[in-house]
Amino acid sequence: MTLRTARTGARRARSLILATVVAIAAILVGVLGHPLWTASSSLASLPTPAEPRERLEGAVPDGVTVFDDEFPAVTNIEPDLLSALRQAASDAADDEIEFYVNSGWRTPAYQDQLLQEAVSEYGSEEEAARWVATAETSPHVSGDAVDIGDDDATAWLSEYGAAYGLCQIYANEPWHYELRPEASENGCPPPYADPTEDPRMQQ
């Protein structure tokens, strides 16, 4: 065998291998319905991991606003309250103020957890009750309350919130707001000193 013959044979072998690979790829494309080189792109469509349990129960990370629909603590707020919050937030934005949500809707289990943490922090159920309600009485569980973060936002609501029906309910919690539709005409009612004076908490 000459050197030229050997080289020719090698080229033919490589061509045969390449043709075989192309043929196999073509068959796979026909079977799978898409090119092999796009398989990796399908990874992007895989389901994302489940949300953390705490978030699903109403916990809120820093930086969440009243417009963030991906958080149950926001989307499960009572619709009229959420609408009023968003209208007020849109107007407050003209003053470069954002409405961050420290807490909104909560599950009963999460509310119970917060109450137990408050008992540990304050040393007794009586003192904890001035800050955290039970799952049976908390307006957060029903989606009827929101805790607004940032002092500028609560100061803005203190001055203008009544026009939207948004009222501070407890004197010791300047961040806690609920909807009182009649406030747009009559102003907000005087706040309770703390939740222990709220008749709803006596159930």
Side-chain angles (χ1 to χ4, degrees), residues 60-130:
V60 182
D62 292 340
V64 173
T65 75
V66 297
F67 297 104
D68 288 332
D69 285 334
E70 63 268 34
F71 296 94
V74 174
T75 56
N76 288 331
I77 291 174
E78 193 277 327
D80 288 341
L81 172 57
L82 184 57
S83 177
L85 284 166
R86 288 179 170 178
Q87 183 179 354
S90 295
D91 292 342
D94 293 337
D95 296 326
E96 299 183 349
I97 292 173
E98 285 195 88
F99 284 12
Y100 294 104
V101 176
N102 281 350
S103 191
W105 167 86
R106 305 166 185 160
T107 64
Y110 186 46
Q111 185 68 32
D112 283 338
Q113 175 187 328
L114 294 177
L115 179 57
Q116 292 307 311
E117 291 174 357
V119 171
S120 297
E121 179 178 354
Y122 294 109
S124 69
E125 292 183 358
E126 291 75 15
E127 185 62 21
R130 297 184 59 243

Short mmCIF file of all heavy atoms in Angstrom, two decimals, residues 60-130:
data_model
loop_
_atom_site.label_atom_id
_atom_site.label_comp_id
_atom_site.label_asym_id
_atom_site.label_seq_id
_atom_site.Cartn_x
_atom_site.Cartn_y
_atom_site.Cartn_z
N VAL A 60 -42.52 38.30 54.73
CA VAL A 60 -42.19 39.25 53.67
C VAL A 60 -40.71 39.64 53.76
O VAL A 60 -40.26 40.13 54.80
CB VAL A 60 -43.05 40.54 53.79
CG1 VAL A 60 -42.74 41.49 52.65
CG2 VAL A 60 -44.53 40.19 53.80
N PRO A 61 -39.94 39.45 52.68
CA PRO A 61 -38.55 39.91 52.69
C PRO A 61 -38.48 41.42 52.56
O PRO A 61 -39.48 42.08 52.22
CB PRO A 61 -37.94 39.21 51.47
CG PRO A 61 -39.10 39.01 50.55
CD PRO A 61 -40.29 38.76 51.43
N ASP A 62 -37.33 41.98 52.80
CA ASP A 62 -37.16 43.43 52.67
C ASP A 62 -37.39 43.87 51.22
O ASP A 62 -37.08 43.14 50.28
CB ASP A 62 -35.74 43.84 53.10
CG ASP A 62 -35.51 43.65 54.59
OD1 ASP A 62 -36.51 43.58 55.33
OD2 ASP A 62 -34.34 43.58 55.01
N GLY A 63 -37.93 45.07 51.07
CA GLY A 63 -38.04 45.66 49.75
C GLY A 63 -39.32 45.36 48.99
O GLY A 63 -39.48 45.79 47.85
N VAL A 64 -40.26 44.65 49.60
CA VAL A 64 -41.52 44.34 48.94
C VAL A 64 -42.46 45.54 49.05
O VAL A 64 -42.63 46.11 50.13
CB VAL A 64 -42.18 43.09 49.57
CG1 VAL A 64 -43.58 42.87 49.00
CG2 VAL A 64 -41.32 41.87 49.32
N THR A 65 -43.08 45.92 47.94
CA THR A 65 -44.01 47.04 47.94
C THR A 65 -45.44 46.54 47.77
O THR A 65 -45.68 45.36 47.53
CB THR A 65 -43.69 48.04 46.81
OG1 THR A 65 -44.13 47.49 45.55
CG2 THR A 65 -42.21 48.35 46.75
N VAL A 66 -46.38 47.47 47.86
CA VAL A 66 -47.80 47.10 47.72
C VAL A 66 -48.14 46.68 46.30
O VAL A 66 -49.24 46.19 46.04
CB VAL A 66 -48.71 48.27 48.15
CG1 VAL A 66 -48.52 48.58 49.62
CG2 VAL A 66 -48.48 49.50 47.29
N PHE A 67 -47.19 46.83 45.37
CA PHE A 67 -47.44 46.45 43.97
C PHE A 67 -46.86 45.09 43.61
O PHE A 67 -47.00 44.64 42.47
CB PHE A 67 -46.84 47.51 43.04
CG PHE A 67 -47.46 48.87 43.18
CD1 PHE A 67 -46.79 49.88 43.85
CD2 PHE A 67 -48.72 49.14 42.67
CE1 PHE A 67 -47.35 51.14 44.00
CE2 PHE A 67 -49.30 50.39 42.81
CZ PHE A 67 -48.62 51.39 43.48
N ASP A 68 -46.20 44.42 44.55
CA ASP A 68 -45.52 43.16 44.25
C ASP A 68 -46.48 41.97 44.37
O ASP A 68 -46.70 41.43 45.45
CB ASP A 68 -44.32 42.97 45.19
CG ASP A 68 -43.18 43.91 44.85
OD1 ASP A 68 -43.07 44.29 43.67
OD2 ASP A 68 -42.41 44.27 45.76
N ASP A 69 -47.00 41.56 43.21
CA ASP A 69 -48.03 40.52 43.19
C ASP A 69 -47.51 39.11 43.41
O ASP A 69 -48.31 38.18 43.54
CB ASP A 69 -48.79 40.56 41.86
CG ASP A 69 -49.76 41.72 41.78
OD1 ASP A 69 -50.21 42.19 42.84
OD2 ASP A 69 -50.05 42.17 40.65
N GLU A 70 -46.20 38.91 43.43
CA GLU A 70 -45.69 37.56 43.58
C GLU A 70 -45.62 37.10 45.04
O GLU A 70 -45.23 35.97 45.31
CB GLU A 70 -44.31 37.42 42.93
CG GLU A 70 -43.22 38.28 43.54
CD GLU A 70 -43.08 39.62 42.85
OE1 GLU A 70 -44.10 40.17 42.40
OE2 GLU A 70 -41.95 40.12 42.77
N PHE A 71 -46.03 37.97 45.96
CA PHE A 71 -45.95 37.62 47.38
C PHE A 71 -47.35 37.44 47.95
O PHE A 71 -48.17 38.36 47.90
CB PHE A 71 -45.19 38.69 48.15
CG PHE A 71 -43.76 38.82 47.74
CD1 PHE A 71 -43.38 39.74 46.78
CD2 PHE A 71 -42.80 37.98 48.28
CE1 PHE A 71 -42.06 39.85 46.38
CE2 PHE A 71 -41.47 38.08 47.89
CZ PHE A 71 -41.10 39.01 46.93
N PRO A 72 -47.66 36.26 48.50
CA PRO A 72 -48.99 36.03 49.08
C PRO A 72 -49.38 37.05 50.13
O PRO A 72 -50.56 37.37 50.27
CB PRO A 72 -48.87 34.62 49.68
CG PRO A 72 -47.81 33.95 48.86
CD PRO A 72 -46.82 35.03 48.54
N ALA A 73 -48.41 37.56 50.88
CA ALA A 73 -48.71 38.56 51.91
C ALA A 73 -49.33 39.81 51.31
O ALA A 73 -50.07 40.53 51.98
CB ALA A 73 -47.44 38.93 52.68
N VAL A 74 -49.05 40.06 50.03
CA VAL A 74 -49.62 41.22 49.33
C VAL A 74 -50.89 40.83 48.58
O VAL A 74 -51.94 41.48 48.72
CB VAL A 74 -48.59 41.83 48.36
CG1 VAL A 74 -49.23 42.96 47.53
CG2 VAL A 74 -47.38 42.36 49.13
N THR A 75 -50.82 39.77 47.80
CA THR A 75 -51.96 39.42 46.94
C THR A 75 -53.17 38.96 47.73
O THR A 75 -54.30 39.06 47.24
CB THR A 75 -51.57 38.32 45.94
OG1 THR A 75 -51.07 37.18 46.65
CG2 THR A 75 -50.50 38.81 44.99
N ASN A 76 -52.97 38.48 48.96
CA ASN A 76 -54.10 38.02 49.78
C ASN A 76 -54.66 39.11 50.68
O ASN A 76 -55.55 38.83 51.49
CB ASN A 76 -53.69 36.81 50.62
CG ASN A 76 -53.52 35.56 49.77
OD1 ASN A 76 -54.16 35.40 48.74
ND2 ASN A 76 -52.63 34.67 50.19
N ILE A 77 -54.15 40.32 50.55
CA ILE A 77 -54.77 41.45 51.25
C ILE A 77 -56.17 41.65 50.68
O ILE A 77 -56.39 41.50 49.47
CB ILE A 77 -53.92 42.73 51.10
CG1 ILE A 77 -52.60 42.58 51.87
CG2 ILE A 77 -54.67 43.96 51.59
CD1 ILE A 77 -51.63 43.73 51.66
N GLU A 78 -57.11 41.99 51.53
CA GLU A 78 -58.49 42.21 51.09
C GLU A 78 -58.49 43.18 49.91
O GLU A 78 -57.81 44.21 49.95
CB GLU A 78 -59.30 42.76 52.27
CG GLU A 78 -60.79 42.75 52.08
CD GLU A 78 -61.28 43.95 51.30
OE1 GLU A 78 -60.67 45.03 51.44
OE2 GLU A 78 -62.26 43.81 50.54
N PRO A 79 -59.21 42.86 48.82
CA PRO A 79 -59.10 43.63 47.58
C PRO A 79 -59.33 45.13 47.72
O PRO A 79 -58.61 45.93 47.11
CB PRO A 79 -60.16 42.99 46.67
CG PRO A 79 -60.25 41.58 47.16
CD PRO A 79 -60.06 41.66 48.64
N ASP A 80 -60.33 45.55 48.50
CA ASP A 80 -60.59 46.99 48.64
C ASP A 80 -59.44 47.69 49.37
O ASP A 80 -59.07 48.81 49.03
CB ASP A 80 -61.91 47.23 49.37
CG ASP A 80 -63.12 46.87 48.52
OD1 ASP A 80 -62.97 46.80 47.28
OD2 ASP A 80 -64.20 46.66 49.09
N LEU A 81 -58.90 47.01 50.38
CA LEU A 81 -57.76 47.58 51.10
C LEU A 81 -56.55 47.68 50.18
O LEU A 81 -55.86 48.71 50.16
CB LEU A 81 -57.43 46.71 52.32
CG LEU A 81 -56.14 47.05 53.08
CD1 LEU A 81 -56.14 48.50 53.56
CD2 LEU A 81 -55.95 46.09 54.26
N LEU A 82 -56.29 46.64 49.42
CA LEU A 82 -55.14 46.66 48.51
C LEU A 82 -55.30 47.74 47.45
O LEU A 82 -54.34 48.44 47.11
CB LEU A 82 -54.97 45.29 47.86
CG LEU A 82 -53.75 45.12 46.95
CD1 LEU A 82 -52.46 45.40 47.71
CD2 LEU A 82 -53.72 43.71 46.36
N SER A 83 -56.51 47.91 46.94
CA SER A 83 -56.76 48.94 45.94
C SER A 83 -56.50 50.33 46.52
O SER A 83 -55.87 51.18 45.87
CB SER A 83 -58.20 48.84 45.44
OG SER A 83 -58.49 49.87 44.52
N ALA A 84 -56.96 50.57 47.75
CA ALA A 84 -56.74 51.86 48.39
C ALA A 84 -55.26 52.10 48.64
O ALA A 84 -54.75 53.22 48.44
CB ALA A 84 -57.52 51.93 49.71
N LEU A 85 -54.56 51.06 49.06
CA LEU A 85 -53.11 51.18 49.29
C LEU A 85 -52.38 51.55 48.01
O LEU A 85 -51.49 52.41 48.00
CB LEU A 85 -52.56 49.87 49.84
CG LEU A 85 -52.85 49.56 51.31
CD1 LEU A 85 -52.53 48.10 51.60
CD2 LEU A 85 -52.03 50.48 52.22
N ARG A 86 -52.75 50.89 46.92
CA ARG A 86 -52.06 51.14 45.66
C ARG A 86 -52.38 52.53 45.11
O ARG A 86 -51.51 53.19 44.53
CB ARG A 86 -52.41 50.05 44.65
CG ARG A 86 -51.76 48.72 45.01
CD ARG A 86 -52.12 47.59 44.07
NE ARG A 86 -51.29 46.42 44.34
CZ ARG A 86 -51.39 45.26 43.70
NH1 ARG A 86 -52.31 45.11 42.75
NH2 ARG A 86 -50.59 44.26 44.00
N GLN A 87 -53.60 52.97 45.30
CA GLN A 87 -53.95 54.32 44.86
C GLN A 87 -53.16 55.35 45.66
O GLN A 87 -52.60 56.31 45.10
CB GLN A 87 -55.45 54.56 45.02
CG GLN A 87 -55.90 55.93 44.50
CD GLN A 87 -57.39 56.15 44.65
OE1 GLN A 87 -58.13 55.23 45.03
NE2 GLN A 87 -57.85 57.36 44.37
N ALA A 88 -53.11 55.15 46.98
CA ALA A 88 -52.35 56.07 47.82
C ALA A 88 -50.87 56.02 47.49
O ALA A 88 -50.19 57.06 47.43
CB ALA A 88 -52.58 55.72 49.29
N ALA A 89 -50.35 54.82 47.25
CA ALA A 89 -48.92 54.67 46.93
C ALA A 89 -48.58 55.36 45.62
O ALA A 89 -47.50 55.96 45.48
CB ALA A 89 -48.55 53.20 46.87
N SER A 90 -49.47 55.28 44.65
CA SER A 90 -49.23 55.95 43.37
C SER A 90 -49.15 57.46 43.56
O SER A 90 -48.30 58.13 42.95
CB SER A 90 -50.35 55.61 42.38
OG SER A 90 -50.33 54.22 42.07
N ASP A 91 -50.01 58.00 44.41
CA ASP A 91 -49.98 59.44 44.67
C ASP A 91 -48.76 59.83 45.51
O ASP A 91 -48.14 60.88 45.29
CB ASP A 91 -51.26 59.88 45.37
CG ASP A 91 -52.48 59.76 44.46
OD1 ASP A 91 -52.30 59.67 43.23
OD2 ASP A 91 -53.61 59.74 44.99
N ALA A 92 -48.40 58.97 46.47
CA ALA A 92 -47.24 59.26 47.31
C ALA A 92 -45.95 59.23 46.50
O ALA A 92 -44.96 59.90 46.86
CB ALA A 92 -47.16 58.25 48.46
N ALA A 93 -45.95 58.47 45.41
CA ALA A 93 -44.75 58.40 44.57
C ALA A 93 -44.40 59.77 43.99
O ALA A 93 -43.23 60.04 43.69
CB ALA A 93 -44.96 57.39 43.44
N ASP A 94 -45.40 60.64 43.85
CA ASP A 94 -45.12 62.00 43.38
C ASP A 94 -44.25 62.75 44.38
O ASP A 94 -43.56 63.71 44.01
CB ASP A 94 -46.43 62.77 43.15
CG ASP A 94 -47.24 62.18 42.00
OD1 ASP A 94 -46.64 61.51 41.14
OD2 ASP A 94 -48.47 62.39 41.98
N ASP A 95 -44.29 62.32 45.63
CA ASP A 95 -43.44 62.91 46.68
C ASP A 95 -42.20 62.06 46.93
O ASP A 95 -41.55 62.20 47.97
CB ASP A 95 -44.24 63.06 47.98
CG ASP A 95 -45.40 64.03 47.84
OD1 ASP A 95 -45.25 65.02 47.09
OD2 ASP A 95 -46.46 63.80 48.46
N GLU A 96 -41.94 61.13 46.00
CA GLU A 96 -40.78 60.23 46.08
C GLU A 96 -40.83 59.35 47.32
O GLU A 96 -39.82 59.10 47.98
CB GLU A 96 -39.47 61.02 46.02
CG GLU A 96 -39.31 61.82 44.73
CD GLU A 96 -37.98 62.55 44.65
OE1 GLU A 96 -37.28 62.61 45.68
OE2 GLU A 96 -37.65 63.04 43.57
N ILE A 97 -42.03 58.88 47.64
CA ILE A 97 -42.24 58.00 48.79
C ILE A 97 -42.78 56.67 48.29
O ILE A 97 -43.69 56.64 47.47
CB ILE A 97 -43.22 58.64 49.80
CG1 ILE A 97 -42.56 59.87 50.44
CG2 ILE A 97 -43.64 57.63 50.87
CD1 ILE A 97 -43.50 60.66 51.31
N GLU A 98 -42.21 55.58 48.79
CA GLU A 98 -42.68 54.24 48.44
C GLU A 98 -43.33 53.57 49.64
O GLU A 98 -42.91 53.79 50.78
CB GLU A 98 -41.52 53.37 47.93
CG GLU A 98 -41.06 53.71 46.53
CD GLU A 98 -40.19 52.60 45.95
OE1 GLU A 98 -40.74 51.67 45.34
OE2 GLU A 98 -38.96 52.69 46.12
N PHE A 99 -44.33 52.75 49.36
CA PHE A 99 -45.00 52.00 50.42
C PHE A 99 -44.44 50.59 50.45
O PHE A 99 -44.81 49.74 49.64
CB PHE A 99 -46.51 51.93 50.15
CG PHE A 99 -47.26 53.21 50.45
CD1 PHE A 99 -46.60 54.39 50.69
CD2 PHE A 99 -48.65 53.22 50.48
CE1 PHE A 99 -47.28 55.57 50.96
CE2 PHE A 99 -49.35 54.38 50.75
CZ PHE A 99 -48.66 55.56 50.99
N TYR A 100 -43.54 50.34 51.39
CA TYR A 100 -43.01 48.99 51.58
C TYR A 100 -43.90 48.23 52.58
O TYR A 100 -44.41 48.81 53.54
CB TYR A 100 -41.58 49.05 52.11
CG TYR A 100 -40.61 49.63 51.11
CD1 TYR A 100 -40.12 50.93 51.26
CD2 TYR A 100 -40.19 48.90 50.01
CE1 TYR A 100 -39.24 51.47 50.34
CE2 TYR A 100 -39.31 49.43 49.08
CZ TYR A 100 -38.84 50.72 49.26
OH TYR A 100 -37.97 51.26 48.34
N VAL A 101 -44.06 46.96 52.32
CA VAL A 101 -44.91 46.12 53.17
C VAL A 101 -44.04 45.32 54.13
O VAL A 101 -43.26 44.47 53.71
CB VAL A 101 -45.77 45.17 52.32
CG1 VAL A 101 -46.59 44.24 53.22
CG2 VAL A 101 -46.69 45.96 51.39
N ASN A 102 -44.17 45.61 55.42
CA ASN A 102 -43.48 44.80 56.42
C ASN A 102 -44.26 43.54 56.75
O ASN A 102 -43.69 42.52 57.10
CB ASN A 102 -43.26 45.61 57.70
CG ASN A 102 -42.08 46.56 57.58
OD1 ASN A 102 -41.31 46.50 56.62
ND2 ASN A 102 -41.94 47.46 58.54
N SER A 103 -45.57 43.65 56.64
CA SER A 103 -46.43 42.49 56.87
C SER A 103 -47.81 42.79 56.30
O SER A 103 -48.26 43.94 56.32
CB SER A 103 -46.53 42.16 58.36
OG SER A 103 -47.15 40.91 58.56
N GLY A 104 -48.44 41.76 55.78
CA GLY A 104 -49.80 41.92 55.25
C GLY A 104 -50.64 40.74 55.70
O GLY A 104 -50.83 40.51 56.89
N TRP A 105 -51.12 39.97 54.72
CA TRP A 105 -51.87 38.76 55.04
C TRP A 105 -50.94 37.73 55.68
O TRP A 105 -49.76 37.65 55.35
CB TRP A 105 -52.48 38.19 53.76
CG TRP A 105 -53.00 36.80 53.92
CD1 TRP A 105 -54.23 36.43 54.36
CD2 TRP A 105 -52.29 35.58 53.64
NE1 TRP A 105 -54.34 35.06 54.39
CE2 TRP A 105 -53.15 34.52 53.94
CE3 TRP A 105 -51.01 35.30 53.17
CZ2 TRP A 105 -52.78 33.19 53.78
CZ3 TRP A 105 -50.63 33.98 53.02
CH2 TRP A 105 -51.52 32.95 53.32
N ARG A 106 -51.50 36.95 56.63
CA ARG A 106 -50.75 35.87 57.27
C ARG A 106 -51.65 34.65 57.44
O ARG A 106 -52.86 34.80 57.63
CB ARG A 106 -50.25 36.28 58.66
CG ARG A 106 -49.42 37.55 58.72
CD ARG A 106 -49.28 38.02 60.16
NE ARG A 106 -48.58 39.29 60.29
CZ ARG A 106 -48.67 40.08 61.36
NH1 ARG A 106 -49.42 39.72 62.39
NH2 ARG A 106 -48.01 41.23 61.39
N THR A 107 -51.07 33.48 57.41
CA THR A 107 -51.83 32.28 57.75
C THR A 107 -52.02 32.23 59.27
O THR A 107 -51.26 32.84 60.03
CB THR A 107 -51.10 31.00 57.32
OG1 THR A 107 -49.87 30.89 58.05
CG2 THR A 107 -50.82 31.00 55.82
N PRO A 108 -53.02 31.49 59.75
CA PRO A 108 -53.18 31.33 61.20
C PRO A 108 -51.92 30.75 61.86
O PRO A 108 -51.55 31.17 62.96
CB PRO A 108 -54.37 30.37 61.32
CG PRO A 108 -55.17 30.63 60.08
CD PRO A 108 -54.15 30.88 59.01
N ALA A 109 -51.28 29.80 61.18
CA ALA A 109 -50.07 29.19 61.76
C ALA A 109 -48.96 30.23 61.92
O ALA A 109 -48.26 30.25 62.95
CB ALA A 109 -49.60 28.04 60.89
N TYR A 110 -48.80 31.08 60.93
CA TYR A 110 -47.76 32.10 61.01
C TYR A 110 -48.10 33.13 62.09
O TYR A 110 -47.22 33.60 62.82
CB TYR A 110 -47.59 32.78 59.65
CG TYR A 110 -46.45 33.77 59.58
CD1 TYR A 110 -45.20 33.46 60.10
CD2 TYR A 110 -46.62 35.01 58.99
CE1 TYR A 110 -44.15 34.36 60.03
CE2 TYR A 110 -45.58 35.92 58.91
CZ TYR A 110 -44.35 35.59 59.44
OH TYR A 110 -43.31 36.49 59.38
N GLN A 111 -49.38 33.46 62.22
CA GLN A 111 -49.80 34.39 63.27
C GLN A 111 -49.51 33.80 64.65
O GLN A 111 -49.02 34.50 65.54
CB GLN A 111 -51.29 34.70 63.13
CG GLN A 111 -51.80 35.75 64.11
CD GLN A 111 -51.25 37.13 63.83
OE1 GLN A 111 -50.99 37.48 62.68
NE2 GLN A 111 -51.06 37.92 64.87
N ASP A 112 -49.79 32.52 64.82
CA ASP A 112 -49.50 31.86 66.10
C ASP A 112 -48.00 31.89 66.38
O ASP A 112 -47.57 32.09 67.53
CB ASP A 112 -49.99 30.41 66.08
CG ASP A 112 -51.49 30.30 66.27
OD1 ASP A 112 -52.10 31.25 66.82
OD2 ASP A 112 -52.07 29.28 65.86
N GLN A 113 -47.20 31.68 65.34
CA GLN A 113 -45.75 31.71 65.51
C GLN A 113 -45.29 33.09 65.98
O GLN A 113 -44.47 33.21 66.90
CB GLN A 113 -45.06 31.36 64.18
CG GLN A 113 -43.55 31.49 64.21
CD GLN A 113 -42.92 31.30 62.84
OE1 GLN A 113 -43.43 30.54 62.01
NE2 GLN A 113 -41.83 32.01 62.58
N LEU A 114 -45.83 34.14 65.36
CA LEU A 114 -45.46 35.50 65.75
C LEU A 114 -45.88 35.80 67.18
O LEU A 114 -45.16 36.48 67.93
CB LEU A 114 -46.09 36.51 64.79
CG LEU A 114 -45.59 36.47 63.34
CD1 LEU A 114 -46.37 37.48 62.50
CD2 LEU A 114 -44.10 36.76 63.27
N LEU A 115 -47.04 35.27 67.58
CA LEU A 115 -47.50 35.50 68.95
C LEU A 115 -46.58 34.81 69.95
O LEU A 115 -46.21 35.40 70.98
CB LEU A 115 -48.93 34.99 69.10
CG LEU A 115 -49.55 35.12 70.50
CD1 LEU A 115 -49.53 36.57 70.97
CD2 LEU A 115 -50.98 34.57 70.51
N GLN A 116 -46.17 33.59 69.66
CA GLN A 116 -45.27 32.89 70.56
C GLN A 116 -43.92 33.59 70.65
O GLN A 116 -43.31 33.67 71.73
CB GLN A 116 -45.09 31.43 70.09
CG GLN A 116 -46.34 30.59 70.23
CD GLN A 116 -46.91 30.63 71.64
OE1 GLN A 116 -46.18 30.44 72.63
NE2 GLN A 116 -48.21 30.89 71.75
N GLU A 117 -43.45 34.13 69.53
CA GLU A 117 -42.20 34.89 69.55
C GLU A 117 -42.35 36.15 70.39
O GLU A 117 -41.42 36.55 71.10
CB GLU A 117 -41.79 35.24 68.12
CG GLU A 117 -41.35 34.03 67.29
CD GLU A 117 -41.10 34.38 65.83
OE1 GLU A 117 -41.32 35.56 65.45
OE2 GLU A 117 -40.68 33.49 65.08
N ALA A 118 -43.52 36.78 70.32
CA ALA A 118 -43.76 37.99 71.11
C ALA A 118 -43.81 37.66 72.61
O ALA A 118 -43.31 38.43 73.44
CB ALA A 118 -45.07 38.65 70.68
N VAL A 119 -44.41 36.52 72.95
CA VAL A 119 -44.45 36.11 74.36
C VAL A 119 -43.03 35.91 74.88
O VAL A 119 -42.68 36.34 75.99
CB VAL A 119 -45.27 34.81 74.52
CG1 VAL A 119 -45.12 34.26 75.94
CG2 VAL A 119 -46.74 35.08 74.20
N SER A 120 -42.18 35.28 74.06
CA SER A 120 -40.79 35.08 74.46
C SER A 120 -40.06 36.41 74.60
O SER A 120 -39.25 36.60 75.51
CB SER A 120 -40.07 34.19 73.44
OG SER A 120 -40.66 32.90 73.39
N GLU A 121 -40.35 37.34 73.70
CA GLU A 121 -39.66 38.63 73.71
C GLU A 121 -40.11 39.51 74.87
O GLU A 121 -39.28 40.15 75.54
CB GLU A 121 -39.90 39.36 72.39
CG GLU A 121 -39.23 40.73 72.32
CD GLU A 121 -39.44 41.42 70.99
OE1 GLU A 121 -40.01 40.79 70.07
OE2 GLU A 121 -39.03 42.59 70.86
N TYR A 122 -41.44 39.55 75.12
CA TYR A 122 -41.97 40.48 76.11
C TYR A 122 -42.17 39.85 77.49
O TYR A 122 -42.44 40.55 78.46
CB TYR A 122 -43.29 41.08 75.62
CG TYR A 122 -43.11 41.95 74.40
CD1 TYR A 122 -43.58 41.53 73.16
CD2 TYR A 122 -42.46 43.18 74.48
CE1 TYR A 122 -43.41 42.32 72.03
CE2 TYR A 122 -42.29 43.97 73.36
CZ TYR A 122 -42.76 43.54 72.14
OH TYR A 122 -42.59 44.32 71.02
N GLY A 123 -42.06 38.53 77.57
CA GLY A 123 -42.06 37.88 78.87
C GLY A 123 -43.40 37.41 79.39
O GLY A 123 -43.46 36.70 80.39
N SER A 124 -44.50 37.78 78.73
CA SER A 124 -45.81 37.33 79.18
C SER A 124 -46.82 37.45 78.05
O SER A 124 -46.63 38.25 77.11
CB SER A 124 -46.30 38.15 80.38
OG SER A 124 -46.61 39.48 79.98
N GLU A 125 -47.90 36.68 78.15
CA GLU A 125 -48.96 36.77 77.14
C GLU A 125 -49.65 38.13 77.20
O GLU A 125 -50.07 38.66 76.17
CB GLU A 125 -49.97 35.65 77.35
CG GLU A 125 -49.42 34.26 77.06
CD GLU A 125 -50.48 33.18 77.21
OE1 GLU A 125 -51.63 33.53 77.59
OE2 GLU A 125 -50.16 32.00 76.95
N GLU A 126 -49.77 38.67 78.42
CA GLU A 126 -50.45 39.96 78.58
C GLU A 126 -49.70 41.07 77.85
O GLU A 126 -50.30 41.90 77.16
CB GLU A 126 -50.58 40.30 80.07
CG GLU A 126 -51.55 39.43 80.84
CD GLU A 126 -51.00 38.04 81.13
OE1 GLU A 126 -49.76 37.84 80.97
OE2 GLU A 126 -51.80 37.15 81.48
N GLU A 127 -48.40 41.11 78.01
CA GLU A 127 -47.61 42.15 77.35
C GLU A 127 -47.54 41.91 75.84
O GLU A 127 -47.62 42.85 75.05
CB GLU A 127 -46.20 42.20 77.94
CG GLU A 127 -45.34 43.34 77.40
CD GLU A 127 -45.88 44.72 77.70
OE1 GLU A 127 -46.68 44.85 78.65
OE2 GLU A 127 -45.50 45.68 77.00
N ALA A 128 -47.43 40.65 75.45
CA ALA A 128 -47.38 40.32 74.03
C ALA A 128 -48.66 40.74 73.33
O ALA A 128 -48.65 41.15 72.16
CB ALA A 128 -47.14 38.82 73.84
N ALA A 129 -49.79 40.67 74.04
CA ALA A 129 -51.09 41.01 73.45
C ALA A 129 -51.18 42.48 73.06
O ALA A 129 -52.04 42.86 72.26
CB ALA A 129 -52.21 40.66 74.43
N ARG A 130 -50.29 43.31 73.59
CA ARG A 130 -50.28 44.72 73.21
C ARG A 130 -49.69 44.92 71.82
O ARG A 130 -49.80 46.00 71.24
CB ARG A 130 -49.46 45.54 74.22
CG ARG A 130 -50.02 45.54 75.63
CD ARG A 130 -49.23 46.46 76.56
NE ARG A 130 -49.24 47.84 76.06
CZ ARG A 130 -48.15 48.50 75.66
NH1 ARG A 130 -46.97 47.91 75.70
NH2 ARG A 130 -48.25 49.75 75.23
#
